[in-house]
Every structure is written in structure tokens, then in C-alpha cells.
Amino acid sequence: MSYLDFERITHTYSREGQPVLRDLSLRVAKGEFVSLLGRSGCGKTTLLKMAAGLLKPSAGSVRIGGEAVTKPPERMGMVFQAPTLLEWLTVLDNVLLPVALRGKPTKADRDAAESQLARLGLNGFGPKFPSQLSGGQQSRVALARALMREPSLLLLDEPFAALDALTREELQEELLQLCAARTMTVLFITHDIAEAVYVSDRVVMLQDGGVAGDAQVPLPAPRHYKLRYEEPFNKLCLALRQMMEGGERHEHERRA
Ligand SMILES: Nc1ncnc2c1ncn2[C@@H]1O[C@H](COP(=O)(O)OP(=O)(O)OP(=O)(O)O)[C@@H](O)[C@H]1O
Ligand SMILES: [Mg+2]
């Protein structure tokens, strides 16, 4: 049974423009962690915005739990590609934002926000402002905010892209631990093949407006960082890389 369903999606941003997505179908099962890989501009963010109810496809339908998405779903958390912490709010108020948009946060909400921050290694950071935080800490706050309303669907658009390799690996671990503690369906966009393989149950490659590859990740869970240096991991990364390069050659040949 699939939980998040993209059914024959076509999308064109402007009337005269080329479609960004063409007759794309993708099904994600409940509790599955799926990464979307693909070259810059291939339509990853476009697809994610459709799942978030922020963009309506020109044709086709998006369903969550069998229901058509017409507005941002209730139990959805999202981390946007561009940093979106509000500079004039404290860290705590940034995390509380999804709650505050629906009503005045209660003491229980504030406690939940504090514990969400603590779980991500930001104990006591609540009263600080985003400008006082490092890039990695800001990414953690954005993730804490996305988790604030116990989402059943988590949409992450390159959430760790701006971080150094080690911080990034740490956050991947933290994300996996958070996912293991609840049932969440995750759609995770990244440019980084190794990141996609490490965190996901399944990696989907977008290209030319459609799904060019769809691979299960047959690695044991929970993941351990040593996996990254082992043969099955590297073989899978190489196969995905070749798939991406194949796409590049194909583009090149078509233009020639
Ligand atoms: N609001 C918009 N209006 C017009 N064109 C858009 C708009 N948003 C995106 N596009 C175009 O649609 C295509 C897909 O954009 P999208 O943001 O989905 O790509 P992406 O795969 O997320 O890329 P990146 O990896 O660089 O983030 C791009 O060619 C982009 O220029
Ligand atoms: Mg994008």
C-alpha cells in the first residue's frame, strides 16, 4: 500500500515553456525513506512542493493516504532548500512557528520545542537568535521545527547541503535516529549520492522530467558509519553515479 502517490504528473511553469516534469509517477510506502537524486534543475524541488501542497501540477494528481493534496497537509513537516529561519525570532520561537501559526503556543508546546531542540543537541539554545548560530546549528533548528507537530510525512530539500562533511554525517545519523523512533514517511532531496545511499531505504533518480532509476538500498539498518567504507555501499554509489553520468552523456548527445 503506498502512502504518498504521484500519479502521472506533468508540470509546466509557464504557458510557452517546456514541461519540467513529464508524466511522472512515483509511489512511496508508509514509513519508507526515499531519496530523490538528480542534476540541478531536473525538478526535485518542484516535486517536493507538490507533496507539500504548495504547488499544483499542471496535470496528474498527488495523494497522501489516498486523499488528494489540495493544501499543505496537517501532519507534514518540511525543511526548505533555502535557509528559512526567521532572523527576528529566537530559536525557540522559530521551532514553535508551526504551532504559533495555528494559535498561541502553550507551556506544553514550549516544553515540546525545548525537548526537540535538546534531541538535536541544542539544549539551552532557545533564547538565542539564528544569527548567533553556526550553519549546522541553524540546520538543526530547521529540522526541529519540521518535527514539531509530529509529522507523518517529512519533506527535506537538501537540508544539509551547506555543511562540512563531518557535521553532515552527524546530522544524517541524528535524522536516522529520529526516524527510527517513529513512523514517518520521508522524501529527502540531495545532490550527494553517498548521503542518499546512507540514509535511504530507496533512491529514486530524476532525469528528463521523469524517473530514470529506482533502486532499493540493500544495506542493514540501523546504519553504522563504517558502512561507508565497505564494498556494497561503494558499489551502489558507483552504480548510481554511472546512472547520473549516463544521463549527462545522453543530454550531450541529444544536443550535438
Ligand atoms: N517558480 C518558477 N517559475 C519558473 N520556472 C521555475 C520555477 N521554479 C523552478 N523553475 C524551473 O523548473 C526547473 C526545475 O526546478 P527545481 O527547483 O524543481 O529543480 P531542482 O531539481 O530542485 O534543482 P536544484 O538541484 O538546483 O535545487 C528549473 O529549470 C527551474 O528553472
Ligand atoms: Mg531544488
Side-chain angles (χ1 to χ4, degrees):
M1 253 293 276
S2 63
Y3 178 66
L4 171 62
D5 247 340
F6 298 96
E7 184 81 27
R8 308 203 62 179
I9 302 285
T10 293
H11 192 69
T12 312
Y13 275 105
S14 63
R15 207 176 285 257
E16 61 282 4
Q18 289 289 316
V20 174
L21 300 173
R22 263 177 267 167
D23 203 21
L24 179 151
S25 294
L26 176 66
R27 293 185 159 182
V28 179
K30 195 165 179 63
E32 199 174 24
F33 194 128
V34 174
S35 280
L36 290 180
L37 268 179
R39 303 179 74 83
S40 183
C42 74
K44 303 179 296 295
T45 298
T46 302
L47 201 61
L48 206 75
K49 282 184 181 163
M50 288 174 186
L54 300 172
L55 183 67
K56 190 177 175 305
S58 312
S61 66
V62 184
R63 292 176 179 275
I64 293 177
E67 295 212 3
V69 175
T70 53
K71 58 179 179 18
E74 264 296 301
R75 293 194 56 213
M76 180 269 297
M78 183 161 180
V79 174
F80 290 87
Q81 184 165 10
T84 53
L85 297 183
L86 302 178
E87 292 293 328
W88 61 92
L89 293 182
T90 63
V91 163
L92 189 70
D93 286 339
N94 265 287
V95 176
L96 280 167
L97 192 65
V99 178
L101 289 174
R102 285 157 208 265
K104 196 171 157 48
T106 61
K107 165 93 171 55
D109 292 326
R110 278 194 299 278
D111 289 348
E114 294 278 13
S115 77
Q116 205 64 260
L117 283 168
R119 244 180 283 173
L120 284 158
L122 293 175
N123 217 344
F125 276 67
K128 288 187 190 281
F129 286 90
S131 59
Q132 297 172 289
L133 270 54
S134 72
Q137 289 164 341
Q138 292 185 26
S139 298
R140 288 183 165 93
V141 175
L143 188 56
R145 181 174 62 190
L147 292 167
M148 192 49 205
R149 297 183 67 243
E150 294 293 327
S152 50
L153 177 65
L154 188 60
L155 305 170
L156 305 172
D157 197 347
E158 303 196 39
F160 312 142
L163 307 176
D164 69 89
L166 264 185
T167 309
R168 199 172 168 132
E169 288 184 12
E170 265 169 38
L171 278 166
Q172 291 166 9
E173 296 296 342
E174 285 168 24
L175 176 61
L176 286 180
Q177 281 165 19
L178 288 163
C179 289
R182 62 199 88 198
T183 304
M184 248 186 331
T185 307
V186 187
L187 202 53
F188 181 93
I189 297 179
T190 177
H191 276 120
D192 183 332
I193 296 173
E195 176 169 85
V197 170
Y198 192 76
V199 297
S200 317
D201 300 317
R202 186 176 149 210
V203 179
V204 170
M205 177 93 62
L206 295 190
Q207 191 180 290
D208 295 336
V211 173
D214 191 334
Q216 292 288 333
V217 179
L219 298 174
R223 304 284 205 257
H224 188 281
Y225 80 91
K226 285 186 184 154
L227 264 182
R228 298 175 196 270
Y229 304 96
E230 291 171 3
E231 202 188 340
F233 183 87
N234 289 305
K235 262 188 155 164
L236 192 53
C237 290
L238 181 62
L240 287 166
R241 194 192 154 118
Q242 283 169 338
M243 205 186 282
M244 274 178 115
E245 282 177 353
E248 185 182 23
R249 256 199 311 279
H250 179 61
E251 263 299 300
H252 180 73
E253 280 160 11
R254 273 199 325 185
R255 275 199 222 112

